[in-house]
Amino acid sequence: MNKLLLGALLLGALLFLQQEDWLAPAQVEQSQSDSVLAQAFRDQRSDLQVRGEGRVVKVLPDDLEGSRHQRFILELGSGQTLLVAHNIDLAPRIEGLRAGDRVEFYGEYEWNAKGGVLHWTHRDPRGRHPAGWLRHEGRTYQ
């Protein structure tokens, strides 16, 4: 009986430790994302699919030339800034977005001298490009 109890306790401890390990990849992924974006910026690299998260530092007026885009600037954990150009002809606008809000993203990075631009944060109607998205306050926009 004692061996059974000891086995159950060891199994419980092992499962608890594995659960803690399951939480770690998201934290590692975020710092890896910031590192990948920092390297892309240094190398002036574009056409890179990236996933990450940042804090809104400024909400800009919409770009209304051609396809309409909601625009805002994110600051990553590394301090790098990223202009987000979210196509609101193909995906819903993030209503009520304010400076200080956190936004997760998956899209395509394009280099520019100010930190870069993130676009393709929506589904491709032709199905030729990976579907991107933005996530704000638990809601996904694509």
Side-chain angles (χ1 to χ4, degrees), residues 29-102:
E29 181 179 311
Q30 181 61 43
S31 65
Q32 286 176 344
S33 171
D34 284 1
S35 295
V36 166
L37 286 164
Q39 187 66 44
F41 177 69
R42 279 192 299 275
D43 295 345
Q44 298 184 11
R45 187 167 171 210
S46 292
D47 305 318
L48 181 67
Q49 281 298 125
V50 294
R51 179 178 179 171
E53 179 182 8
R55 182 180 56 83
V56 177
V57 292
K58 187 167 187 168
V59 177
L60 302 169
D62 291 349
D63 177 1
L64 302 175
E65 292 185 26
S67 297
R68 298 174 310 135
H69 288 79
Q70 180 179 20
R71 300 178 315 147
F72 53 94
I73 299 172
L74 289 178
E75 182 178 49
L76 306 176
S78 64
Q80 180 177 344
T81 58
L82 190 62
L83 170 65
V84 177
H86 179 58
N87 188 320
I88 52 176
D89 285 335
L90 296 174
R93 157 192 302 287
I94 300 176
E95 295 295 343
L97 187 66
R98 296 180 312 273
D101 288 357
R102 306 246 5 125

